[in-house]
Amino acid sequence: MPTALPLPPAELQLAALTEANRPRQLPLLTRIAELLSVSPKVTHLIVRGSLASGTADRLSDVDFLVGVHDGALPAFTAALNDLMTVAAGALLPGWRDSIVADLGGIGFVFLVQHEGKMQQVDLYLAPASKIPEIRQKVAGKVLLERPLGTLTASQADAARACVAEHTRRPRSCTELLIEHLVLAVLLHKRIRRGQRFVAYAEWHLLHTATKDLIKTALAPASRFWGWYQLREELALTPIGRACLTDLEAGITSPAVPDATDVEAALDRVLELTERACSNALDGLTDAITAYRTYLELA
């Protein structure tokens, strides 16, 4: 029998948002808010983006700023994937968001199944001590606000170290594959909305992720930065040459993709991953199948 979660706290303020804005994502927003607010270590839940401003469309993501007591941030961050997968229906582990502005925290993007659709949930975790500063920079609707309570210097240091570790840690092949899957969802949104400039930028990010995946798999000790010396380092083996051919197919595709280009890029990166670092797919086969199915139904 699944373990019943405690009831959400009474101070979770959803009524005002519900009254002002009734998007189709509201049931999902409510579910995620209730799930996160169960932890007494969560001090703030602030809805950001179009759901907060009342400009959401059917493609809008659910975007939260989550304040976590500084001392609890490392453990909360470590448990987030399990929480979102088991309790929130995330299809894949969260992508460590490299697009979101640096506000002193850690951004994650989850792809969540909800009412037969795949929805995007963005969670930006920040130490509770930084929330007043962040709120000077970020607009949003406050759903939950709890007092920080006692904060020691060692707890603040632990929070800073946690953010620094997640920001600087090199990404694994599995994480880079998940980055491709998330970027494909973002690109489909941009294409449908006609956001060509943003699509151009995210298309470049996808190609960069492909380059990083190849280097991580085949040249993890590379002495060269970025795109330098790729052919010299990677074209020494048949696998390396095949991967470079895949990368060249990506970078020579149109600068602004259409949906067919994005699907072709997904096919290429999945084949590339199977060829160069098949262990990155361990445990993800069913999740990727579900992901492709939801993408087709979008």
Side-chain angles (χ1 to χ4, degrees):
M1 295 262 318
T3 302
L5 291 170
L7 292 174
E11 67 264 39
L12 191 58
Q13 301 171 37
L14 287 165
L17 185 69
T18 303
E19 185 63 29
N21 186 14
R22 296 179 179 271
R24 61 179 287 184
Q25 294 89 341
L26 190 60
L28 176 60
L29 183 151
T30 301
R31 179 156 66 94
I32 301 299
E34 291 176 346
L35 176 65
L36 294 172
S37 66
V38 164
S39 171
K41 299 301 183 181
V42 172
T43 61
H44 296 79
L45 284 178
I46 300 171
V47 180
R48 304 200 297 166
S50 58
L51 285 172
S53 64
T55 59
D57 62 21
R58 69 181 186 87
L59 300 174
S60 294
D61 57 317
V62 174
D63 190 348
F64 281 107
L65 169 61
V66 185
V68 182
H69 190 285
D70 295 43
L73 186 66
F76 191 91
T77 303
L80 186 62
N81 268 331
D82 287 343
L83 178 68
M84 291 298 293
T85 301
V86 174
L91 294 171
L92 298 158
W95 170 50
R96 190 178 63 190
D97 191 347
S98 61
I99 299 175
V100 68
D102 181 6
L103 299 170
I106 314 164
F108 295 93
V109 177
F110 290 92
L111 302 176
V112 174
Q113 48 187 331
H114 178 72
E115 296 182 348
K117 300 288 185 180
M118 182 164 59
Q119 298 280 358
Q120 179 183 336
V121 175
D122 297 349
L123 301 179
Y124 193 86
L125 305 190
S129 62
K130 293 192 70 68
I131 293 296
E133 175 188 339
I134 294 173
R135 288 177 67 178
Q136 298 297 315
K137 304 174 183 177
V138 173
K141 298 288 187 182
V142 177
L143 299 189
L144 177 69
E145 189 166 15
R146 291 168 173 155
L148 172 58
T150 304
L151 176 64
T152 66
S154 62
Q155 289 172 330
D157 289 343
R160 284 192 291 270
C162 174
V163 172
E165 190 276 332
H166 276 79
T167 302
R168 298 170 186 167
R169 177 177 56 80
R171 290 164 296 172
S172 67
C173 289
T174 298
E175 290 172 315
L176 288 163
L177 173 60
I178 290 170
E179 181 170 353
H180 283 84
L181 301 178
V182 172
L183 285 172
V185 172
L186 299 183
L187 281 162
H188 279 297
K189 289 185 183 182
R190 309 309 179 198
I191 293 164
R192 289 174 190 148
R193 288 172 171 162
Q195 297 172 316
R196 291 175 57 80
F197 294 124
V198 184
Y200 168 83
E202 291 174 353
W203 192 225
H204 174 69
L205 286 176
L206 187 142
H207 298 328
T208 300
T210 303
K211 177 265 296 177
D212 290 342
L213 176 59
I214 297 169
K215 288 189 70 172
T216 300
L218 302 181
S222 174
R223 296 180 294 109
F224 299 100
W225 175 255
W227 294 79
Y228 289 97
Q229 300 292 316
L230 287 179
R231 193 164 298 282
E232 289 80 355
E233 279 198 313
L234 299 173
L236 303 177
T237 66
I239 289 177
R241 290 191 290 275
C243 289
L244 287 176
T245 297
D246 287 337
L247 181 59
E248 188 155 352
I251 67 173
T252 56
S253 59
V256 179
D258 60 22
T260 302
D261 296 322
V262 176
E263 286 301 310
L266 267 183
D267 290 338
R268 277 196 304 270
V269 77
L270 288 169
E271 292 173 4
L272 186 157
T273 304
E274 181 67 43
R275 180 193 312 125
C277 50
S278 59
N279 60 320
L281 295 164
D282 290 350
L284 293 181
T285 302
D286 291 343
I288 291 172
T289 299
Y291 165 91
R292 297 297 294 261
T293 300
Y294 280 110
L295 207 58
E296 291 172 4
L297 294 174

